[in-house]
Amino acid sequence: MLLRGLRGRHLRRLPPAHDKRDQLRDRRDLSDPVTRTHCPYCSLQCGMSLASGRGGRTLEVLAWPEFPVNEGALCRKGWTATGLRGHRERLTTPLLRDRATGELRTVSWDDALDHVAARLTTIQEQHGNDAVAVFGGGGLTNEKAYLLGKLARVALGTSRIDYNGRWCMSSAASAGNQAFGVDRGLPFPLADVEQTDVLVLVGSNLAETMPPAARHLDRLRERGGKVVVIDPRRTPTADRADLFLQPVPGTDLPLALGILHLLGAAGAVDEDYVATRTTGFDDVRRSVASWWPERVERVSGVEATELRTLADLLSSAEKVTVLTARGAEQHSEGTATVLAWINVALALGMCGKPSAGYGCLTGQGNGQGGREHGQKSDQLPGYRMIDDPAARDHVARVWGVEPASLPGKGLSAYELLDALGTEGGPRAMLVHASNIVVSAPNAVHVADRLAALDLLVVADVVMSETAAMADVVLPVTQWAEETGTMTNLEGRVILRQQAVAPPEGVRSDLDVIAGLAARLGSTAAFPTDPEEAFAELALASAGGRADYAGITYDRIREEHGVFWPCPDAEHPGTPRLFADSFATADGRARFVAVESVGAAEQPDDDYPVHLTTGRVLAQYQSGAQTRRIADLPDDGPFVELHPLLASRIGARDGEPVVVTTRRGELKAPCRVVTTIRPDTVFVPFHWVGANRLTHDALDPSSRMPAFKVCAAAVRS
């Protein structure tokens, strides 16, 4: 346990090289256009301004102080986000692989799309519609995600579509739907956490993964609130904490069960709230009866006294907010873990209360919107479920097709990849905005499956590791070169606006989707104008859980984003959910009893330590873009381990070590630090290698892979 005073540092509003940027700004012609837009990276979707000069040849990031999410602040990634503009590795022409020689050659757009459409048609004629798969990304705009799902289900008639957002917050989504009847990452604006009394961050290194949000922690503590961080590593976020708990990786679920046990024993459960606003608590009360603090200590490594300190903090606070992130969710029992923490918030009577409750810190830029409008295998636009007859009928009417023509539920992301090239599995796949070779668990196996395809088509900005395997590579626009909406972690729909023209030869994903749909013979509309696509999306979402019907581009511009649900033009949007009722049939939240069975893979004599993975400050996701930006430090992969473990294996700081699991191995320099548990090693996942090690065990509800913990061995 670590109790400490305020040590947080406020985020700087200017980038490190601000003197140089001021000089550039002074030299910039004041008549140059300035575009209000948003950062291309994480789910904060920070507002920024882009100043275009010299006929669009230069592009400079400026602050946008009026946007409420970040108030002008940006992290280093945001300030350098234009670094790929004019980059020598930027893709600018379609490429077609000669399978005889293995070489990629440049072709025209017509030749590329004609080839793809002809091959897809042949494959489906020979093997059926589900022989073609579509794999999307959490970085796609809402318009692209919507039309990619429409392409799969209407033009291709395949059920085989999913996206990398399945690996982001699907466990929190599953838990939110079960407990609240709706999945919106944060059911309140992020700034609300400043007014809570105790903020519990479970598996979040917010200070490094979304630095502009860290100011909320500082403001909370300045007004006397407490921050609790639960993480196997003592991160910069933990340095801002009043209470830091350091459990064994994969034991956040037992911690939550133990906390609820203590709250019940102390009489801290809000019985009136439980009786009037929830159902199912009796089963949960019985299920946590055996999780006394000493048992939790044996399982999690967190001392019983530390658990009691946290329970005391929660029971004495008027307002408590619990936020989970990937550290708690990317497990084979991630959904159960989130449900257990939701149970804690419900038992305290916090959900729906001002400046209190439960939320999830979404990771990817459009992780929220990307799944709301049709990229997930089981969903249709508006967060409608694909096996719901009413949902199928509504969306089919918007699309001008028969409901029976829409395919049913497909495979989740990893299951889809695992089936590639197998008997009865997909023979071809279209990939948009996802670097699967780096980001998938058990990545060696996944690369083998990609190689088994008859056709792999990748649309990307640069030659990612996945694009390098493709038969056809399609160069597409990046964020500053196009307009489209995103939905941030708060459920706030925002508008990225085009600031500059794309390089010659580059097309939007919307153009690619429309071009393929036409060549495949589809008569359904596939708009290439993003505002027109959004208007259709709004119609398709109307009446659904994620209702965008009342949102327009003009409203977003005027209101700095509009919160869903927003069912009509007169509706103000809904920044805060659950004040009066939950999105369930009876308006009550559901307690769900869960039990811990432990991680899918436990250490043993051959693999005696826990491996966990995560992010570093300077890089984002698979690193396909950030690793190519010169102003961002790229030290490559590393292995973080404790001095006791380093001494045991004879490793020295900076020297290479080898980490092995049952799936692969990684050799990288080690960093010997006291901030990690002695029984754990940490590897960042932005480079090829980390996910060659990770486990592909799936959560039974969300189908989330167990990225965050597996058994490993390390040697010098």
Side-chain angles (χ1 to χ4, degrees), residues 19 39 55 67 69 108 275 296 298 396 437 457 491-492 498 512 561 630 679:
D19 292 338
C39 179
F67 188 69
V69 174
S108 70
V296 175
R298 289 198 301 272
V437 172
V457 182
R492 185 195 304 256
Q498 182 180 13
V512 173
D679 56 4

Side-chain angles (χ1 to χ4, degrees), residues 650-685:
R652 296 182 179 180
D653 188 71
E655 294 183 351
V657 295
V658 177
V659 180
T660 60
T661 70
R662 291 178 174 85
R663 292 153 294 282
E665 76 173 35
L666 166 71
K667 184 176 183 179
C670 71
R671 295 184 181 179
V672 180
V673 297
T674 60
T675 52
I676 194 169
R677 291 180 56 91
D679 56 4
T680 301
V681 295
F682 167 83
V683 176
F685 56 61

Side-chain angles (χ1 to χ4, degrees), residues 259-272 281 285 311-312 314-316 347-348:
I259 288 294
L260 191 48
H261 172 101
L262 286 170
L263 293 176
V269 173
D270 187 336
E271 300 290 352
D272 288 341
F281 184 61
R285 195 195 304 265
D312 289 344
L314 299 180
S315 61
S316 61
L348 291 167

